């Protein structure tokens, strides 16, 4: 088909293990001095032999492969993938034959899931190398070129991030994902864009690349098979090298690593502990709490958030809590660019806040103000409410009446507007009453008195 876009991925993410894939060095390369977590194995010293493969890493890769619906292979062999770069002291990277094959996620076929070693870090400007990251276990996920647009690519990656989150097998600190994207248009040559480290970056790189390739095709030029780099600050891609072929890597089985047999027993053990997928959680929430799909989807978007919701629903009306979390809590999290886990909000505080709203101790409006102040705050919502004088709904209607009258007298222009037919002026007046009462009065009561007085 003309102009048909085909996009596929190779996604790399670090597995959360204490030690490296073939040695006992710590995987903590972020808060350690350069070259402090290294040994003769992960720096490829002559004669050094790898230890047996890290079981935790193997279990992590199989768990994720299972969650992606893959068929698990019973024998895994480690291959040496040769290339020359200063961050790779061995001169090759160990990468496994597929751990799992033929999975599916969000309508995209998962071809293969592999286990491999991360290289070190090389700074081409200073020429310094830090080997701490050498040998940290990575999972690699290879998809079919089933994706048809940058938007679908973004959606797929978001779903994959959710799987990682639910699996609890990848590193939590984030920023460790690296994506290689391949794209071809109208059956022209396939172009690969290497090492993009965010979903946003993938989206921008694809947008640029589609435009670039379509322009070339329009001018009757051929697309070269090549590897390009995404230059994030300029939002463009640049040629790196002509695309290498698999044979360039001279893959050979690593003679130092024995083939790994995956036993039925080992698989059963993993299956027993297999976490729910985000989709399964979504369906469960819909059924158990009678939630609409869009609400369940938002709550299931983060493992920790779904867990917290189920806890909250034990104490507060489940539907009320669900909508509140979807609309208000999510709004505050998104505004602050935080996940629920990062927000530091305690589940008991959330329960307390929702109960205060349900018991009409505070209005919904005040509740929204309080949740904004609950981010990384040790104080309970009741303490926050007290501190800001937000406690107690003004239920004495005489007081409400008095305030409404004050507002009418102070905002004659709005009253005139209202009387001359601008009905929306009433919202302004409600707003003024809310301001005076710091939101501690129910809008319905304000409206009742406003209507009474404005009719006179
Ligand atoms: Zn080591």
């Amino acid at each position: 088909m003309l102009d048909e876009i085909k996009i596929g991925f190779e996604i790399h993410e670090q597995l959360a293990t204490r030690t490296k894939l073939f040695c006992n060095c710590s995987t903590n390369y972020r808060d350690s001095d350069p070259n402090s977590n290294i040994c003769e194995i992960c720096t490829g010293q002559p004669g050094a032999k790898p230890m047996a493969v890290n079981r935790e890493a193997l279990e992590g890769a199989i768990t994720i492969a299972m969650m992606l619906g893959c068929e698990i292979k019973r024998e895994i062999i480690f291959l040496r993938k040769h290339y020359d770069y200063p961050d790779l002291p061995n001169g090759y990277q160990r990468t496994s034959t597929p751990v799992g094959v033929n999975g599916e996620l969000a309508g995209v076929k998962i071809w293969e899931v592999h286990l491999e070693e991360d290289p070190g870090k090389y700074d081409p400007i200073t020429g310094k190398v830090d080997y701490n990251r050498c040998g940290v276990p990575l999972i690699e996920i290879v998809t079919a070129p089933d994706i048809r647009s940058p938007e679908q690519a973004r959606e797929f990656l978001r779903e994959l991030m959710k799987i990682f989150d639910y699996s609890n097998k990848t590193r939590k600190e984030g920023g460790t994902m690296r994506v290689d994207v391949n794209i071809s248009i109208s059956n022209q040559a396939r172009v690969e864009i290497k090492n993009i480290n965010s979903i946003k970056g993938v989206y921008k790189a694809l947008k640029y690349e589609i435009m670039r390739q379509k322009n070339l095709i329009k001018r009757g030029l051929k697309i070269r098979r090549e590897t390009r780099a995404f230059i994030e600050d300029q939002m463009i891609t640049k040629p790196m090298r002509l695309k290498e072929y698999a044979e360039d890597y001279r893959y050979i089985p690593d003679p130092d690593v024995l083939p790994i047999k995956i036993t039925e027993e080992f698989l059963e053990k993993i299956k027993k502990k297999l976490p729910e997928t985000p989709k399964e959680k979504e369906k469960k929430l819909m059924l158990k709490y009678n939630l609409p799909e869009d609400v369940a989807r938002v709550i299931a978007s983060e493992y920790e958030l779904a867990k917290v919701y189920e806890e909250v629903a034990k104490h507060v009306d489940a539907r009320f809590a669900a909508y509140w979390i979807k609309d208000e809590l999510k709004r505050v999290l998104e505004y602050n660019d935080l996940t629920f886990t990062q927000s530091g909000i305690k589940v008991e505080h959330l329960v307390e806040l929702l109960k205060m709203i349900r018991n009409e101790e505070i209005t919904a409006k005040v509740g929204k103000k309080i949740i904004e102040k609950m981010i990384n705050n040790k104080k309970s919502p009741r303490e926050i409410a007290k501190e800001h004088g937000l406690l107690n709904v003004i239920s004495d209607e005489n007081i409400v009446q008095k305030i409404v009258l004050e507002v009418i007298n102070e905002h004659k222009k709005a009253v005139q507007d209202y009387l001359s037919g601008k009905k929306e002026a009433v919202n302004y007046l409600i707003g003024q009453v809310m301001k005076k009462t710091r939101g501690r009065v129910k809008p319905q009561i304000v409206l009742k008195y406003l209507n009474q007085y404005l009719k006179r």
Side-chain angles (χ1 to χ4, degrees):
M1 201 176 19
L2 202 66
D3 271 5
E4 192 186 34
I5 295 170
K6 288 182 186 165
I7 298 165
F9 286 129
E10 280 175 31
I11 299 138
H12 302 87
E13 178 61 284
Q14 286 177 354
L15 292 164
T17 60
R18 207 177 42 80
T19 56
K20 295 184 181 180
L21 194 53
F22 291 108
C23 64
N24 279 332
C25 292
S26 161
T27 52
N28 181 0
Y29 62 89
R30 289 194 165 184
D31 322 310
S32 309
D33 291 335
N35 298 310
S36 58
N37 290 326
I38 55 172
C39 70
E40 64 279 10
I41 297 169
C42 55
T43 54
Q45 303 300 309
K49 290 252 169 75
M51 295 178 177
V53 71
N54 183 331
R55 297 277 286 186
E56 217 184 336
L58 188 60
E59 198 180 313
I62 293 177
T63 300
I64 292 170
M66 278 184 179
M67 290 176 79
L68 292 169
C70 290
E71 175 193 314
I72 307 300
K73 290 286 181 189
R74 299 311 166 91
E75 187 179 72
I76 299 164
I77 293 166
F78 273 88
L79 306 171
R80 293 179 174 181
K81 176 183 178 180
H82 294 84
Y83 63 89
D84 190 25
Y85 202 66
D87 64 4
L88 198 68
N90 270 323
Y92 56 84
Q93 181 186 24
R94 288 193 187 91
T95 175
S96 77
T97 55
V99 170
V101 295
N102 296 333
E104 186 269 339
L105 178 69
V108 176
K109 192 161 183 207
I110 308 292
W111 267 343
E112 290 175 353
V113 174
H114 302 257
L115 190 55
E116 56 183 44
E117 288 178 304
D118 214 348
K121 264 187 185 164
Y122 170 61
D123 183 341
I125 293 165
T126 61
K128 286 184 180 166
V129 189
D130 177 4
Y131 291 138
N132 281 346
R133 204 176 65 186
C134 265
V136 168
L138 291 180
I139 186 169
E140 183 195 34
I141 293 162
V142 185
T143 79
D146 285 348
I147 297 164
R148 297 286 170 265
S149 69
E151 288 72 25
Q152 195 195 349
R154 184 169 60 187
E155 189 51 35
F156 170 79
L157 289 176
R158 283 181 182 155
E159 291 301 319
L160 185 63
M161 294 299 102
K162 285 195 222 169
I163 295 274
F164 289 160
D165 175 33
Y166 272 65
S167 78
N168 201 25
K169 297 292 184 194
T170 57
R171 290 169 84 116
K172 291 284 173 210
E173 65 265 38
T176 49
M177 179 182 69
R178 270 156 289 155
V179 182
D180 300 341
V181 189
N182 55 70
I183 170 167
S184 70
I185 302 181
S186 312
N187 289 322
Q188 294 251 5
R190 204 166 69 125
V191 171
E192 189 172 28
I193 314 162
K194 278 272 190 204
N195 268 330
I196 312 176
N197 56 20
S198 69
I199 296 180
K200 199 172 127 199
V202 168
Y203 179 77
K204 296 256 163 78
L206 281 170
K207 280 275 192 199
Y208 175 83
E209 197 51 29
I210 290 170
M211 186 184 72
R212 185 187 74 86
Q213 293 190 23
K214 281 194 171 168
N215 277 336
L216 289 176
I217 294 168
K218 225 183 266 168
R219 283 155 52 202
L221 297 167
K222 276 232 170 301
I223 308 291
R224 279 197 310 177
R225 175 164 167 151
E226 64 179 350
T227 299
R228 300 177 70 89
F230 176 54
I231 316 295
E232 183 132 32
D233 51 6
Q234 298 170 48
M235 303 228 226
I236 60 164
T237 65
K238 270 189 178 165
M240 277 168 82
R241 56 180 181 256
L242 290 182
K243 174 73 189 155
E244 65 286 317
Y245 291 82
E247 56 265 30
D248 297 340
Y249 289 124
R250 295 183 295 116
Y251 283 98
I252 55 159
D254 190 323
D256 290 336
V257 184
L258 290 173
I260 299 158
K261 299 271 181 213
I262 306 295
T263 61
E264 200 59 45
E265 225 182 323
F266 188 52
L267 285 186
E268 275 310 311
K269 207 182 105 198
I270 297 175
K271 250 184 228 163
K272 258 187 206 145
K273 295 189 286 187
L274 198 67
E276 279 176 302
T277 65
K279 271 275 169 252
E280 285 163 354
K281 177 63 95 184
E282 201 179 301
K283 280 189 189 134
K284 191 177 133 193
L285 292 174
M286 287 169 70
L287 270 168
K288 188 168 172 194
Y289 302 102
N290 192 22
L291 301 180
E293 193 179 349
D294 62 323
V295 179
R297 197 174 160 73
V298 171
I299 293 172
S301 67
E302 192 191 329
Y303 175 76
E304 200 56 32
L305 187 65
K307 202 170 117 192
V308 161
Y309 168 71
E310 295 211 84
E311 191 52 40
V312 170
K314 287 181 193 163
H315 306 280
V316 189
D317 180 82
R319 265 181 90 88
F320 168 73
Y323 275 95
W324 218 85
I325 286 173
K326 171 185 159 278
D327 295 333
E328 299 308 329
L329 177 59
K330 263 305 227 192
R331 170 181 63 85
V332 175
L333 294 179
E334 267 162 28
Y335 179 80
N336 290 286
D337 199 17
L338 295 173
T339 62
F340 181 79
T341 313
Q342 292 165 337
S343 77
I345 295 178
K346 291 200 184 99
V347 64
E348 59 267 30
H349 286 170
L350 197 55
V351 170
E352 184 178 292
L353 176 70
L354 295 178
K355 277 190 173 168
M356 285 167 78
I357 302 171
R358 290 291 278 182
N359 299 339
E360 302 195 336
E361 285 177 76
I362 53 172
T363 59
K365 197 178 166 80
V366 167
K368 289 177 197 179
K369 271 191 208 166
I370 293 177
I371 189 88
E372 288 166 11
K373 299 187 195 330
M374 279 167 66
I375 304 275
N376 288 316
N377 192 340
K378 284 195 178 65
K379 288 181 185 141
S380 74
R382 190 175 300 280
E383 284 166 337
I384 295 171
K386 260 186 209 156
E387 185 183 45
H388 293 87
L390 297 170
L391 214 50
N392 298 327
V393 173
I394 301 173
S395 48
D396 184 341
E397 296 206 3
N398 287 326
I399 297 176
V400 180
Q401 234 173 319
K402 204 179 124 235
I403 297 169
V404 168
L405 259 183
E406 273 172 30
V407 164
I408 285 178
N409 287 326
E410 285 163 15
H411 299 276
K412 296 235 158 59
K413 170 92 177 38
V415 174
Q416 276 308 320
D417 285 350
Y418 177 81
L419 294 176
S420 62
K422 279 190 192 156
K423 295 293 174 210
E424 65 276 12
V426 79
N427 292 327
Y428 174 78
L429 293 169
I430 293 176
Q432 293 307 313
V433 176
M434 287 299 173
K435 209 167 157 187
K436 266 184 188 277
T437 59
R438 270 168 296 153
R440 290 176 303 148
V441 47
K442 287 190 195 157
Q444 307 90 288
I445 301 177
V446 178
L447 190 62
K448 182 175 103 183
Y449 287 110
L450 268 176
N451 278 335
Q452 265 181 33
Y453 289 123
L454 291 172
K455 268 184 198 131
R456 285 184 199 162

